[in-house]
Amino acid sequence: MLDKRTLKYVHSLELRKFRSEYRTFLAEGSKLVGDIIGVFSCRYLFATSDWLAEHAEIHAERIMEVSKEELRRLSLLKTPKDVVAVFYLPDYAITEIDAAAQLVLAVDGIQDPGNLGAMVRLADWFGIEHLVCSLDTVDIFNPKAVQATMGALARVQVHYASLPDWLSQLPPTPVFGTFLNGENIYQSSLSSFGV
């Protein structure tokens, strides 16, 4: 049975300060949980008996069978799914990125969680394994952002840094920027030297 303390803990993960304090984040839905459970360590998994029967191979520190009503109370979504999970935040090192050898996407000042989730999906679509966000970009582990990644978070590492500082520390690397008032990329010739 779901207790008030656990319910309060799960709901607290809607706020960044508690995600940082507990070093955990929330994911909901069978596809999303299924995509990321092999990549991130799962602390809690709350699911219906039917879902658990279909996913007997799932591992978590603590698995709780809950009713549809309990899931509704746990969920931050308007339409609750069959599973809610709490995962540990990853420890990615931005120093492990080799920007000279691989394509890296950097984004600046994205405030909408859904937009950031879409950027992670786009990076995944193009095989980009690292996304570097400016320090004022929304937290990728915001529940809305996690949901918007549709599981791409399992394949794209998201880092936060001061973009000018990070870019200035790179070895000679082609850098391209996109701007609303820039040239049309389809009418431009991209050199190997960047800008």
Side-chain angles (χ1 to χ4, degrees):
M1 184 168 180
L2 186 63
D3 60 65
K4 288 182 182 179
R5 184 178 176 192
T6 304
L7 185 63
K8 183 178 178 182
Y9 165 74
V10 169
H11 281 257
S12 76
L13 298 178
E14 190 170 12
L15 300 176
R16 185 177 195 157
K17 73 176 188 174
F18 292 114
R19 291 192 300 272
S20 296
E21 180 181 334
Y22 300 134
R23 302 287 305 146
T24 55
F25 70 98
L26 192 64
E28 299 188 49
S30 189
K31 183 189 179 315
L32 178 59
V33 170
D35 282 351
I36 68 177
I37 201 158
V39 177
F40 301 102
S41 297
C42 187
R43 181 172 184 193
Y44 291 109
L45 186 118
F46 308 93
T48 61
S49 58
D50 291 343
W51 192 90
L52 289 171
E54 291 175 20
H55 300 86
E57 76 288 351
I58 294 288
H59 296 286
E61 285 181 12
R62 184 170 175 202
I63 297 175
M64 286 185 71
E65 182 180 315
V66 292
S67 67
K68 289 276 191 185
E69 173 58 25
E70 288 173 317
L71 268 177
R72 188 191 63 72
R73 289 176 37 219
L74 275 167
S75 179
L76 300 179
L77 301 174
K78 288 181 182 176
T79 308
K81 310 293 184 186
D82 289 337
V83 61
V84 172
V86 175
F87 293 94
Y88 288 103
L89 291 174
D91 289 318
Y92 297 140
I94 197 167
T95 55
E96 294 177 7
I97 300 174
D98 185 359
Q102 64 189 123
L103 193 56
V104 177
L105 181 62
V107 297
D108 185 25
I110 297 186
Q111 297 301 304
D112 183 272
N115 288 346
L116 183 58
M119 296 301 293
V120 173
R121 287 196 323 268
L122 284 169
D124 184 38
W125 176 261
F126 287 102
I128 299 171
E129 297 175 358
H130 298 277
L131 183 109
V132 179
C133 301
S134 62
L135 296 173
D136 63 341
T137 294
V138 67
D139 179 19
I140 189 57
F141 296 104
N142 174 306
K144 291 179 183 176
V146 171
Q147 208 67 31
T149 70
M150 299 178 151
L153 195 56
R155 297 172 293 279
V156 177
Q157 292 185 13
V158 180
H159 310 268
Y160 287 82
S162 162
L163 292 181
D165 292 347
W166 179 70
L167 289 168
S168 70
Q169 294 173 14
L170 294 177
T173 305
V175 176
F176 300 95
T178 58
F179 304 91
L180 290 176
N181 60 350
E183 296 177 23
N184 185 331
I185 193 168
Y186 298 109
Q187 298 172 350
S188 301
S189 175
L190 301 180
S191 74
S192 60
F193 298 107
V195 291

